[in-house]
Amino acid sequence: MSRSSSNSGARPADRRAKPAGIVVVGNGMAGSRLVTEIRARDRRVALTVFGAEPQQPYNRVLLSNVLAGVTGPEQIGLVDPAWYEANDVDARLGVAVERIDRDAKCVHASDGTATPYDTLVIATGSTSFVPPIPGTENGLPDGVEAFRTLADCRRILQAADGARHAVVVGGGLLGIEAARGLAGRGLAVTVVHLAGHLMERQLDQGAGGVLARTLGRLGVRTVLGTSAGALSTGADGRVEAVELQSGERLPADLVVMACGVRPEVRLAREAGLKVDRGILVDETLRSLSDPGVRAIGECSQYGDTVYGLVAPAWEQATVLADLLTGADTGARFTGARQITRLKAKGVDLVAMGETHFGDDDPEVEVMRFADASRGTYKKVAIRRDRLIGAILLGETGTAGTLTQLYDRAAPLPSDRLSLFFTGLGGAQAADSPVRMPDAATVCHCNNVSKRQIRACWEKGARTADEVAQQTRASTGCGGCRDALEGIVAWLDEQDSVPAG
Protein backbone atom coordinates (compact mmCIF):
# COMPACT_ATOMS: atom_id res chain seq x y z
CA MET A 1 0.00 0.00 0.00
CA SER A 2 1.34 3.44 -0.85
CA ARG A 3 1.70 6.04 1.83
CA SER A 4 1.10 9.79 1.59
CA SER A 5 2.92 10.73 4.78
CA SER A 6 6.50 10.75 5.96
CA ASN A 7 5.39 9.20 9.27
CA SER A 8 5.25 5.71 7.85
CA GLY A 9 7.77 4.08 10.17
CA ALA A 10 9.29 2.20 7.24
CA ARG A 11 12.95 1.15 7.52
CA PRO A 12 15.40 1.82 4.70
CA ALA A 13 15.33 -1.87 3.81
CA ASP A 14 11.57 -1.68 3.33
CA ARG A 15 11.99 1.09 0.78
CA ARG A 16 14.72 -0.70 -1.17
CA ALA A 17 12.56 -3.81 -1.36
CA LYS A 18 10.09 -1.94 -3.56
CA PRO A 19 10.55 -2.24 -7.33
CA ALA A 20 12.55 0.59 -8.86
CA GLY A 21 10.59 2.89 -11.09
CA ILE A 22 10.28 6.66 -11.47
CA VAL A 23 11.41 8.81 -8.57
CA VAL A 24 10.55 12.51 -8.62
CA VAL A 25 12.51 14.83 -6.34
CA GLY A 26 10.40 17.92 -5.77
CA ASN A 27 6.64 18.16 -5.33
CA GLY A 28 6.07 21.76 -6.35
CA MET A 29 4.24 22.99 -9.43
CA ALA A 30 6.47 21.10 -11.89
CA GLY A 31 6.94 17.88 -9.91
CA SER A 32 3.32 17.50 -8.82
CA ARG A 33 2.10 18.12 -12.38
CA LEU A 34 4.48 15.48 -13.70
CA VAL A 35 3.22 12.92 -11.16
CA THR A 36 -0.43 13.52 -12.11
CA GLU A 37 0.38 13.43 -15.82
CA ILE A 38 2.23 10.12 -15.47
CA ARG A 39 -0.64 8.55 -13.56
CA ALA A 40 -3.13 9.78 -16.16
CA ARG A 41 -1.18 7.73 -18.73
CA ASP A 42 0.10 4.75 -16.75
CA ARG A 43 -1.33 3.38 -13.50
CA ARG A 44 1.17 0.53 -13.18
CA VAL A 45 4.64 2.08 -13.13
CA ALA A 46 6.14 2.39 -9.64
CA LEU A 47 6.07 6.10 -8.79
CA THR A 48 7.59 7.90 -5.80
CA VAL A 49 7.65 11.64 -5.16
CA PHE A 50 9.58 13.51 -2.47
CA GLY A 51 8.38 16.91 -1.25
CA ALA A 52 10.44 18.87 1.26
CA GLU A 53 7.39 20.94 2.23
CA PRO A 54 5.02 19.02 4.53
CA GLN A 55 1.70 20.04 2.99
CA GLN A 56 0.03 19.19 -0.30
CA PRO A 57 1.52 20.86 -3.39
CA TYR A 58 0.05 24.29 -4.05
CA ASN A 59 -0.14 26.93 -6.74
CA ARG A 60 2.77 29.22 -5.95
CA VAL A 61 1.48 31.78 -8.47
CA LEU A 62 -1.49 32.48 -6.19
CA LEU A 63 0.53 33.23 -3.05
CA SER A 64 0.13 36.95 -3.74
CA ASN A 65 -3.65 36.45 -3.53
CA VAL A 66 -3.19 34.77 -0.15
CA LEU A 67 -1.04 37.68 0.98
CA ALA A 68 -3.70 40.13 -0.14
CA GLY A 69 -6.43 38.18 1.66
CA VAL A 70 -8.29 37.46 -1.60
CA THR A 71 -7.69 33.71 -1.35
CA GLY A 72 -7.25 31.38 1.60
CA PRO A 73 -4.24 29.02 1.81
CA GLU A 74 -6.61 26.06 1.63
CA GLN A 75 -7.87 27.24 -1.77
CA ILE A 76 -4.61 27.03 -3.70
CA GLY A 77 -3.87 23.30 -3.40
CA LEU A 78 -3.01 21.35 -6.55
CA VAL A 79 -3.24 17.72 -5.40
CA ASP A 80 -5.27 16.51 -2.44
CA PRO A 81 -3.22 14.28 -0.08
CA ALA A 82 -5.81 11.49 -0.46
CA TRP A 83 -5.11 11.39 -4.20
CA TYR A 84 -1.71 9.77 -3.71
CA GLU A 85 -2.98 6.64 -1.96
CA ALA A 86 -5.96 6.39 -4.32
CA ASN A 87 -3.55 6.42 -7.26
CA ASP A 88 -0.82 4.22 -5.74
CA VAL A 89 1.77 6.99 -5.56
CA ASP A 90 4.33 6.76 -2.76
CA ALA A 91 4.36 10.39 -1.62
CA ARG A 92 6.95 11.42 0.97
CA LEU A 93 5.54 14.75 2.09
CA GLY A 94 7.87 16.66 4.40
CA VAL A 95 10.85 14.49 3.42
CA ALA A 96 13.82 16.08 1.65
CA VAL A 97 16.26 14.20 -0.54
CA GLU A 98 19.77 14.80 0.78
CA ARG A 99 21.94 12.90 -1.69
CA ILE A 100 21.79 11.26 -5.10
CA ASP A 101 23.90 8.13 -5.62
CA ARG A 102 24.09 7.80 -9.40
CA ASP A 103 26.27 4.68 -9.27
CA ALA A 104 23.77 2.78 -7.11
CA LYS A 105 20.81 4.57 -8.78
CA CYS A 106 19.15 5.55 -5.52
CA VAL A 107 18.38 8.66 -3.50
CA HIS A 108 19.03 9.10 0.21
CA ALA A 109 16.42 11.09 2.13
CA SER A 110 16.17 12.96 5.43
CA ASP A 111 14.08 10.16 6.98
CA GLY A 112 17.00 7.72 6.60
CA THR A 113 15.58 5.86 3.62
CA ALA A 114 17.37 4.89 0.42
CA THR A 115 15.04 4.65 -2.57
CA PRO A 116 16.12 3.04 -5.87
CA TYR A 117 15.15 4.40 -9.24
CA ASP A 118 15.18 3.43 -12.89
CA THR A 119 14.54 7.05 -13.87
CA LEU A 120 15.18 10.01 -11.60
CA VAL A 121 13.44 13.33 -12.25
CA ILE A 122 14.79 16.40 -10.49
CA ALA A 123 12.16 19.11 -10.02
CA THR A 124 13.60 21.05 -7.10
CA GLY A 125 12.55 24.48 -8.39
CA SER A 126 14.19 27.64 -7.06
CA THR A 127 15.12 29.23 -3.77
CA SER A 128 14.90 32.86 -2.71
CA PHE A 129 18.00 34.96 -3.15
CA VAL A 130 18.76 37.09 -0.09
CA PRO A 131 21.70 39.47 -0.64
CA PRO A 132 24.36 39.75 2.08
CA ILE A 133 23.03 42.85 3.84
CA PRO A 134 24.59 44.02 7.14
CA GLY A 135 22.23 42.97 9.88
CA THR A 136 21.64 39.50 8.41
CA GLU A 137 24.98 37.89 9.37
CA ASN A 138 23.29 35.60 11.90
CA GLY A 139 20.16 34.99 9.86
CA LEU A 140 17.18 37.18 9.11
CA PRO A 141 16.05 39.30 12.10
CA ASP A 142 12.49 39.06 13.38
CA GLY A 143 10.17 40.86 11.00
CA VAL A 144 12.32 40.14 7.92
CA GLU A 145 11.00 37.45 5.59
CA ALA A 146 11.64 36.07 2.13
CA PHE A 147 8.64 35.60 -0.15
CA ARG A 148 8.72 32.28 -1.94
CA THR A 149 6.79 29.54 -0.12
CA LEU A 150 3.46 29.15 1.64
CA ALA A 151 5.35 29.07 4.94
CA ASP A 152 6.96 32.41 4.00
CA CYS A 153 3.52 33.80 3.22
CA ARG A 154 2.16 32.73 6.60
CA ARG A 155 5.08 34.33 8.43
CA ILE A 156 4.61 37.57 6.47
CA LEU A 157 0.92 37.63 7.38
CA GLN A 158 1.73 37.06 11.02
CA ALA A 159 4.33 39.85 10.96
CA ALA A 160 1.91 42.17 9.14
CA ASP A 161 -0.62 41.85 11.94
CA GLY A 162 -0.10 45.04 13.92
CA ALA A 163 2.64 46.39 11.62
CA ARG A 164 2.40 49.92 10.20
CA HIS A 165 5.35 50.28 7.82
CA ALA A 166 6.55 47.65 5.35
CA VAL A 167 9.56 47.75 3.04
CA VAL A 168 9.75 45.38 0.06
CA VAL A 169 13.30 44.93 -1.22
CA GLY A 170 13.04 44.15 -4.92
CA GLY A 171 10.76 45.58 -7.60
CA GLY A 172 10.34 42.55 -9.82
CA LEU A 173 7.14 40.56 -10.28
CA LEU A 174 7.16 39.00 -6.79
CA GLY A 175 8.05 42.28 -5.13
CA ILE A 176 5.21 44.15 -6.82
CA GLU A 177 2.72 41.43 -5.88
CA ALA A 178 3.89 41.44 -2.26
CA ALA A 179 3.76 45.25 -2.05
CA ARG A 180 0.24 45.42 -3.49
CA GLY A 181 -0.98 42.71 -1.12
CA LEU A 182 0.44 44.43 1.95
CA ALA A 183 -0.88 47.84 0.90
CA GLY A 184 -4.32 46.25 0.57
CA ARG A 185 -4.04 45.31 4.23
CA GLY A 186 -3.55 48.94 5.22
CA LEU A 187 0.24 49.07 5.63
CA ALA A 188 2.34 51.98 4.35
CA VAL A 189 4.55 50.18 1.80
CA THR A 190 7.80 51.24 0.14
CA VAL A 191 9.40 49.24 -2.67
CA VAL A 192 13.19 49.58 -2.95
CA HIS A 193 14.62 48.58 -6.32
CA LEU A 194 18.21 48.77 -7.55
CA ALA A 195 17.36 49.20 -11.23
CA GLY A 196 16.18 52.44 -12.80
CA HIS A 197 12.59 51.22 -13.23
CA LEU A 198 10.32 48.47 -11.94
CA MET A 199 10.24 44.99 -13.51
CA GLU A 200 13.12 45.87 -15.81
CA ARG A 201 13.31 42.33 -17.19
CA GLN A 202 9.78 42.49 -18.59
CA LEU A 203 9.12 46.23 -19.02
CA ASP A 204 10.78 49.15 -20.72
CA GLN A 205 11.38 52.41 -18.90
CA GLY A 206 8.11 53.99 -20.01
CA ALA A 207 6.01 51.10 -18.73
CA GLY A 208 8.02 50.95 -15.51
CA GLY A 209 7.28 54.61 -14.89
CA VAL A 210 3.55 54.21 -15.44
CA LEU A 211 3.54 51.16 -13.16
CA ALA A 212 5.26 53.14 -10.38
CA ARG A 213 2.69 55.92 -10.74
CA THR A 214 -0.16 53.39 -10.59
CA LEU A 215 1.28 51.80 -7.46
CA GLY A 216 1.63 55.24 -5.91
CA ARG A 217 -2.11 55.79 -6.24
CA LEU A 218 -2.60 52.45 -4.47
CA GLY A 219 -0.47 53.45 -1.49
CA VAL A 220 2.88 51.99 -2.57
CA ARG A 221 5.88 54.32 -2.70
CA THR A 222 8.74 53.42 -5.05
CA VAL A 223 12.43 54.19 -4.45
CA LEU A 224 14.64 53.40 -7.46
CA GLY A 225 18.36 53.26 -8.18
CA THR A 226 19.41 52.20 -4.72
CA SER A 227 19.35 49.13 -2.51
CA ALA A 228 19.21 48.13 1.14
CA GLY A 229 22.53 48.95 2.76
CA ALA A 230 21.74 47.63 6.23
CA LEU A 231 18.93 46.49 8.49
CA SER A 232 18.50 48.20 11.85
CA THR A 233 17.02 46.28 14.76
CA GLY A 234 15.77 47.29 18.17
CA ALA A 235 16.80 45.98 21.57
CA ASP A 236 14.36 43.10 21.13
CA GLY A 237 16.10 42.00 17.92
CA ARG A 238 13.19 42.96 15.71
CA VAL A 239 13.71 45.01 12.57
CA GLU A 240 12.82 48.68 12.91
CA ALA A 241 14.34 50.33 9.83
CA VAL A 242 16.06 49.79 6.49
CA GLU A 243 19.12 51.93 5.79
CA LEU A 244 19.43 52.57 2.06
CA GLN A 245 22.74 52.95 0.27
CA SER A 246 21.48 56.37 -0.80
CA GLY A 247 21.51 57.40 2.86
CA GLU A 248 17.74 57.44 3.37
CA ARG A 249 16.37 55.62 6.41
CA LEU A 250 13.02 53.88 6.01
CA PRO A 251 11.03 52.90 9.13
CA ALA A 252 9.94 49.27 8.89
CA ASP A 253 8.00 46.91 11.14
CA LEU A 254 8.13 44.37 8.31
CA VAL A 255 10.70 43.80 5.55
CA VAL A 256 9.98 41.44 2.65
CA MET A 257 12.97 40.24 0.65
CA ALA A 258 11.90 39.77 -2.99
CA CYS A 259 15.31 40.03 -4.64
CA GLY A 260 14.82 37.20 -7.09
CA VAL A 261 15.32 33.45 -7.08
CA ARG A 262 18.09 31.02 -7.95
CA PRO A 263 17.62 27.51 -9.42
CA GLU A 264 17.99 24.90 -6.68
CA VAL A 265 20.77 22.74 -8.13
CA ARG A 266 22.76 21.68 -5.05
CA LEU A 267 21.77 18.01 -5.30
CA ALA A 268 22.56 17.90 -9.00
CA ARG A 269 25.91 19.62 -8.63
CA GLU A 270 26.97 17.36 -5.74
CA ALA A 271 25.94 14.33 -7.83
CA GLY A 272 28.28 15.45 -10.62
CA LEU A 273 25.63 16.47 -13.14
CA LYS A 274 26.38 19.22 -15.62
CA VAL A 275 25.06 22.49 -14.23
CA ASP A 276 25.22 26.02 -15.60
CA ARG A 277 22.58 28.28 -14.05
CA GLY A 278 20.29 25.23 -14.09
CA ILE A 279 20.69 21.50 -14.74
CA LEU A 280 21.55 21.19 -18.44
CA VAL A 281 19.00 19.12 -20.36
CA ASP A 282 18.24 18.24 -23.97
CA GLU A 283 14.88 18.36 -25.77
CA THR A 284 13.79 15.14 -24.04
CA LEU A 285 14.51 16.82 -20.65
CA ARG A 286 17.35 14.35 -20.15
CA SER A 287 20.42 15.47 -18.24
CA LEU A 288 23.42 15.99 -20.51
CA SER A 289 25.44 14.01 -17.94
CA ASP A 290 23.35 10.93 -17.21
CA PRO A 291 20.66 9.26 -19.38
CA GLY A 292 18.89 8.02 -16.24
CA VAL A 293 18.30 11.52 -14.89
CA ARG A 294 15.81 14.11 -16.15
CA ALA A 295 15.09 17.63 -14.92
CA ILE A 296 12.11 19.95 -15.36
CA GLY A 297 10.90 23.30 -14.11
CA GLU A 298 12.93 26.15 -12.66
CA CYS A 299 15.93 23.97 -11.79
CA SER A 300 16.44 22.90 -15.43
CA GLN A 301 18.14 24.75 -18.26
CA TYR A 302 17.38 24.10 -21.92
CA GLY A 303 19.90 25.80 -24.15
CA ASP A 304 20.65 29.15 -22.57
CA THR A 305 17.26 29.50 -20.89
CA VAL A 306 15.99 28.77 -17.39
CA TYR A 307 12.21 29.04 -17.50
CA GLY A 308 10.80 30.71 -14.42
CA LEU A 309 7.09 30.69 -15.32
CA VAL A 310 4.42 28.07 -14.78
CA ALA A 311 3.38 27.47 -18.41
CA PRO A 312 6.81 26.20 -19.62
CA ALA A 313 7.16 24.01 -16.50
CA TRP A 314 3.80 22.39 -17.12
CA GLU A 315 4.61 21.94 -20.80
CA GLN A 316 7.83 20.18 -19.80
CA ALA A 317 5.85 17.94 -17.42
CA THR A 318 3.49 16.95 -20.24
CA VAL A 319 6.34 16.17 -22.63
CA LEU A 320 8.22 14.13 -20.03
CA ALA A 321 5.12 12.18 -18.99
CA ASP A 322 4.56 11.24 -22.64
CA LEU A 323 8.16 10.06 -22.96
CA LEU A 324 8.42 8.14 -19.68
CA THR A 325 5.15 6.27 -20.19
CA GLY A 326 5.57 5.72 -23.94
CA ALA A 327 2.36 7.61 -24.68
CA ASP A 328 4.26 9.69 -27.26
CA THR A 329 7.87 8.67 -27.81
CA GLY A 330 8.31 11.54 -30.24
CA ALA A 331 7.39 14.27 -27.75
CA ARG A 332 10.00 17.01 -27.47
CA PHE A 333 10.48 20.26 -25.56
CA THR A 334 12.03 22.77 -27.93
CA GLY A 335 11.57 25.92 -25.88
CA ALA A 336 8.59 28.04 -24.92
CA ARG A 337 7.41 31.57 -25.42
CA GLN A 338 7.26 33.33 -22.09
CA ILE A 339 4.27 35.48 -21.19
CA THR A 340 4.26 37.35 -17.87
CA ARG A 341 0.95 38.24 -16.26
CA LEU A 342 0.43 40.38 -13.19
CA LYS A 343 -3.15 40.65 -12.03
CA ALA A 344 -3.27 42.32 -8.64
CA LYS A 345 -6.14 44.48 -7.44
CA GLY A 346 -5.85 47.74 -9.35
CA VAL A 347 -2.94 46.54 -11.52
CA ASP A 348 -3.42 44.58 -14.75
CA LEU A 349 -0.27 43.76 -16.71
CA VAL A 350 0.66 41.43 -19.59
CA ALA A 351 4.15 41.37 -21.11
CA MET A 352 5.54 39.01 -23.73
CA GLY A 353 8.59 38.55 -25.89
CA GLU A 354 11.14 41.24 -26.64
CA THR A 355 9.88 44.42 -25.02
CA HIS A 356 12.99 46.62 -24.85
CA PHE A 357 13.28 47.73 -28.47
CA GLY A 358 13.45 51.46 -29.05
CA ASP A 359 13.09 53.44 -32.25
CA ASP A 360 16.70 53.02 -33.41
CA ASP A 361 16.42 49.54 -34.93
CA PRO A 362 15.48 49.86 -38.63
CA GLU A 363 14.18 46.27 -38.76
CA VAL A 364 11.73 46.68 -35.88
CA GLU A 365 8.52 48.70 -35.95
CA VAL A 366 7.65 50.00 -32.48
CA MET A 367 4.25 51.42 -31.55
CA ARG A 368 3.33 52.95 -28.19
CA PHE A 369 0.33 54.43 -26.48
CA ALA A 370 0.57 55.94 -23.00
CA ASP A 371 -1.86 57.69 -20.67
CA ALA A 372 -0.04 57.87 -17.37
CA SER A 373 -2.91 59.71 -15.68
CA ARG A 374 -5.08 56.63 -16.22
CA GLY A 375 -2.30 54.11 -15.60
CA THR A 376 -2.31 52.93 -19.22
CA TYR A 377 0.75 51.96 -21.27
CA LYS A 378 0.75 49.87 -24.44
CA LYS A 379 3.61 48.87 -26.69
CA VAL A 380 4.14 46.41 -29.53
CA ALA A 381 7.34 45.49 -31.33
CA ILE A 382 6.98 44.12 -34.86
CA ARG A 383 9.54 42.54 -37.18
CA ARG A 384 8.64 41.50 -40.73
CA ASP A 385 4.91 41.75 -39.99
CA ARG A 386 5.18 39.46 -36.97
CA LEU A 387 4.70 40.39 -33.31
CA ILE A 388 7.93 39.85 -31.37
CA GLY A 389 7.04 41.66 -28.15
CA ALA A 390 4.26 43.51 -26.36
CA ILE A 391 3.35 45.28 -23.13
CA LEU A 392 -0.19 45.98 -21.96
CA LEU A 393 -0.52 47.82 -18.66
CA GLY A 394 -3.73 49.12 -17.14
CA GLU A 395 -6.06 48.20 -19.99
CA THR A 396 -5.52 44.68 -21.28
CA GLY A 397 -8.56 44.14 -23.49
CA THR A 398 -6.48 43.04 -26.48
CA ALA A 399 -4.28 40.63 -24.51
CA GLY A 400 -5.96 37.64 -26.16
CA THR A 401 -5.29 39.04 -29.62
CA LEU A 402 -1.64 39.76 -28.93
CA THR A 403 -1.05 36.42 -27.24
CA GLN A 404 -2.50 34.50 -30.20
CA LEU A 405 -0.46 36.52 -32.70
CA TYR A 406 2.70 36.10 -30.64
CA ASP A 407 2.23 32.37 -30.03
CA ARG A 408 1.55 31.56 -33.66
CA ALA A 409 3.84 34.13 -35.26
CA ALA A 410 0.80 34.98 -37.38
CA PRO A 411 0.61 37.91 -39.84
CA LEU A 412 -0.65 41.09 -38.22
CA PRO A 413 -3.81 42.98 -39.23
CA SER A 414 -3.22 45.92 -41.55
CA ASP A 415 -4.90 48.22 -39.01
CA ARG A 416 -2.26 48.35 -36.30
CA LEU A 417 -4.55 50.24 -33.93
CA SER A 418 -6.59 47.07 -33.50
CA LEU A 419 -3.62 45.69 -31.55
CA PHE A 420 -4.18 48.35 -28.91
CA PHE A 421 -7.92 48.96 -28.77
CA THR A 422 -10.92 46.62 -28.77
CA GLY A 423 -13.78 47.15 -31.19
CA LEU A 424 -11.49 47.90 -34.15
CA GLY A 425 -11.85 44.69 -36.12
CA GLY A 426 -8.77 42.58 -35.42
CA ALA A 427 -8.84 42.78 -31.65
CA GLN A 428 -12.56 42.24 -31.43
CA ALA A 429 -12.35 39.21 -33.68
CA ALA A 430 -9.69 37.53 -31.59
CA ASP A 431 -10.93 38.43 -28.12
CA SER A 432 -14.67 38.03 -28.45
CA PRO A 433 -15.94 34.57 -27.46
CA VAL A 434 -18.21 34.77 -30.51
CA ARG A 435 -15.45 35.30 -33.04
CA MET A 436 -12.52 33.59 -31.33
CA PRO A 437 -11.52 30.60 -33.50
CA ASP A 438 -11.95 27.18 -31.92
CA ALA A 439 -8.22 26.54 -32.29
CA ALA A 440 -7.35 29.63 -30.21
CA THR A 441 -5.53 28.93 -26.95
CA VAL A 442 -7.51 30.38 -24.06
CA CYS A 443 -5.44 29.11 -21.12
CA HIS A 444 -1.73 29.29 -21.90
CA CYS A 445 -0.59 27.86 -18.57
CA ASN A 446 -2.42 24.61 -19.34
CA ASN A 447 -2.60 24.87 -23.14
CA VAL A 448 -6.42 24.71 -23.25
CA SER A 449 -8.13 25.79 -26.47
CA LYS A 450 -11.59 27.16 -27.05
CA ARG A 451 -12.39 23.85 -28.80
CA GLN A 452 -11.60 21.91 -25.60
CA ILE A 453 -13.77 24.27 -23.55
CA ARG A 454 -16.61 23.87 -26.02
CA ALA A 455 -16.27 20.06 -25.95
CA CYS A 456 -16.30 20.08 -22.14
CA TRP A 457 -19.42 22.26 -22.13
CA GLU A 458 -21.13 19.98 -24.65
CA LYS A 459 -20.48 17.04 -22.31
CA GLY A 460 -22.39 18.78 -19.52
CA ALA A 461 -20.06 21.21 -17.77
CA ARG A 462 -22.20 24.33 -17.43
CA THR A 463 -20.11 26.62 -15.21
CA ALA A 464 -16.60 28.02 -15.44
CA ASP A 465 -15.67 26.10 -12.28
CA GLU A 466 -16.85 22.81 -13.79
CA VAL A 467 -14.91 23.47 -17.00
CA ALA A 468 -11.83 24.42 -14.97
CA GLN A 469 -12.06 21.23 -12.94
CA GLN A 470 -12.11 19.09 -16.07
CA THR A 471 -9.68 21.02 -18.30
CA ARG A 472 -7.53 22.88 -15.74
CA ALA A 473 -8.21 26.13 -17.62
CA SER A 474 -7.62 29.18 -15.37
CA THR A 475 -5.92 27.11 -12.63
CA GLY A 476 -2.45 28.45 -13.39
CA CYS A 477 -1.91 32.21 -13.20
CA GLY A 478 -5.66 32.84 -13.41
CA GLY A 479 -5.23 35.44 -16.14
CA CYS A 480 -7.65 33.70 -18.50
CA ARG A 481 -10.52 33.43 -16.01
CA ASP A 482 -12.50 36.28 -17.58
CA ALA A 483 -12.13 34.73 -21.04
CA LEU A 484 -13.21 31.31 -19.75
CA GLU A 485 -16.29 32.77 -18.08
CA GLY A 486 -17.10 34.70 -21.26
CA ILE A 487 -16.93 31.59 -23.42
CA VAL A 488 -19.11 29.57 -21.04
CA ALA A 489 -21.64 32.42 -20.85
CA TRP A 490 -21.69 32.70 -24.64
CA LEU A 491 -22.23 28.93 -25.03
CA ASP A 492 -25.07 29.10 -22.49
CA GLU A 493 -26.61 31.99 -24.40
CA GLN A 494 -26.38 30.15 -27.71
CA ASP A 495 -27.99 27.10 -26.15
CA SER A 496 -30.95 29.17 -24.95
CA VAL A 497 -31.71 30.66 -28.38
CA PRO A 498 -34.83 28.95 -29.83
CA ALA A 499 -34.19 26.94 -32.99
CA GLY A 500 -35.56 28.42 -36.22
Side-chain angles (χ1 to χ4, degrees):
M1 178 182 294
S2 73
R3 295 179 173 89
S4 58
S5 170
S6 61
N7 299 318
S8 61
R11 298 184 301 275
D14 296 330
R15 296 298 191 188
R16 294 191 64 84
K18 294 189 64 174
I22 301 171
V23 172
V24 181
V25 180
N27 198 30
M29 296 189 73
S32 64
R33 173 57 67 95
L34 175 64
V35 168
T36 58
E37 293 285 350
I38 289 174
R39 268 297 175 259
R41 293 160 175 76
D42 187 337
R43 298 191 59 83
R44 295 173 299 173
V45 62
L47 185 56
T48 301
V49 59
F50 289 88
E53 294 185 66
Q55 70 279 322
Q56 69 186 91
Y58 54 88
N59 189 335
R60 201 181 304 277
V61 177
L62 300 181
L63 284 178
S64 58
N65 289 351
V66 175
L67 199 61
V70 175
T71 304
E74 71 284 351
Q75 295 175 284
I76 65 172
L78 293 172
V79 179
D80 189 277
W83 180 89
Y84 296 108
E85 185 166 0
N87 288 274
D88 196 24
V89 174
D90 188 358
R92 319 278 184 86
L93 305 183
V95 180
V97 169
E98 297 180 335
R99 183 169 64 88
I100 299 169
D101 186 339
R102 290 169 52 204
D103 292 330
K105 298 193 72 171
C106 73
V107 296
H108 296 266
S110 59
D111 62 353
T113 60
T115 303
Y117 64 83
D118 292 319
T119 298
L120 175 67
V121 181
I122 303 176
T124 45
S126 295
T127 55
S128 297
F129 171 69
V130 178
I133 301 172
T136 63
E137 298 86 353
N138 299 315
L140 297 180
D142 288 345
V144 181
E145 301 292 347
F147 181 40
R148 178 64 180 164
T149 68
L150 184 56
D152 294 335
C153 191
R154 286 177 170 138
R155 286 193 296 269
I156 292 171
L157 289 174
Q158 184 176 12
D161 186 19
R164 295 175 56 198
H165 300 278
V167 173
V168 176
V169 181
L173 183 64
L174 277 179
I176 300 303
E177 291 179 337
R180 180 65 190 101
L182 292 172
R185 289 181 174 272
L187 279 71
V189 182
T190 302
V191 173
V192 178
H193 193 49
L194 181 60
H197 65 270
L198 297 173
M199 293 183 64
E200 74 281 0
R201 293 180 61 186
Q202 296 89 4
L203 305 182
D204 64 7
Q205 187 171 1
V210 174
L211 177 58
R213 185 167 177 168
T214 299
L215 290 172
R217 289 196 295 267
L218 298 171
V220 178
R221 180 191 174 207
T222 301
V223 179
L224 301 170
T226 188
S227 61
L231 300 178
S232 297
T233 57
D236 60 356
R238 185 174 183 83
V239 69
E240 61 181 18
V242 177
E243 309 284 348
L244 302 185
Q245 290 184 342
S246 63
E248 185 176 359
R249 187 176 191 271
L250 301 175
D253 309 299
L254 169 62
V255 177
V256 176
M257 308 298 291
C259 307
V261 296
R262 299 290 185 271
E264 178 50 76
V265 294
R266 179 189 62 81
L267 282 173
R269 184 174 280 118
E270 291 178 354
L273 298 173
K274 290 183 179 179
V275 174
D276 183 17
R277 287 178 298 136
I279 303 165
L280 296 174
V281 298
D282 63 16
E283 60 186 7
T284 66
L285 291 314
R286 194 189 307 271
S287 163
L288 299 187
S289 312
D290 187 332
V293 179
R294 314 279 182 129
I296 62 172
E298 293 175 306
C299 68
S300 69
Q301 178 177 331
Y302 175 72
D304 296 327
T305 305
V306 173
Y307 293 94
L309 298 174
V310 61
W314 283 354
E315 182 180 344
Q316 289 176 338
T318 299
V319 168
L320 188 53
D322 282 340
L323 291 170
L324 295 182
T325 63
D328 181 358
T329 57
R332 297 292 184 270
F333 178 79
T334 57
R337 294 179 179 267
Q338 301 201 64
I339 301 173
T340 301
R341 298 175 186 270
L342 170 62
K343 196 172 180 65
K345 186 177 181 181
V347 186
D348 286 343
L349 169 65
V350 179
M352 63 194 77
E354 303 172 53
T355 60
H356 293 87
F357 280 105
D359 300 316
D360 53 351
D361 191 324
E363 293 187 359
V364 178
E365 175 188 355
V366 178
M367 297 176 56
R368 298 181 186 83
F369 172 83
D371 185 350
S373 65
R374 300 180 62 182
T376 301
Y377 184 93
K378 305 185 182 191
K379 176 181 179 179
V380 295
I382 302 165
R383 181 189 290 125
R384 293 188 287 275
D385 200 37
R386 298 296 190 273
L387 185 70
I388 61 171
I391 300 170
L392 293 177
L393 172 60
E395 201 288 305
T396 58
T398 59
T401 295
L402 297 181
T403 301
Q404 296 297 324
L405 293 171
Y406 175 65
D407 271 349
R408 301 181 179 189
L412 301 182
S414 57
D415 182 4
R416 298 291 201 246
L417 287 178
S418 66
L419 303 176
F420 282 168
F421 305 105
T422 58
L424 296 178
Q428 185 182 44
D431 285 78
S432 166
V434 180
R435 302 187 183 186
M436 181 184 291
D438 270 7
T441 302
V442 177
C443 175
H444 285 80
C445 292
N446 291 285
N447 195 29
V448 180
S449 67
K450 179 185 174 184
R451 178 179 292 112
Q452 290 170 284
I453 293 172
R454 181 198 291 272
C456 185
W457 182 88
E458 289 174 347
K459 291 179 181 178
R462 286 296 187 267
T463 68
D465 286 340
E466 291 173 348
V467 173
Q469 185 176 12
Q470 296 183 34
T471 66
R472 291 174 168 162
S474 79
T475 61
C477 70
C480 66
R481 182 69 182 192
D482 290 346
L484 172 61
E485 291 176 348
I487 291 171
V488 172
W490 171 68
L491 290 169
D492 288 340
E493 181 181 341
Q494 297 301 109
D495 188 50
S496 65
V497 176

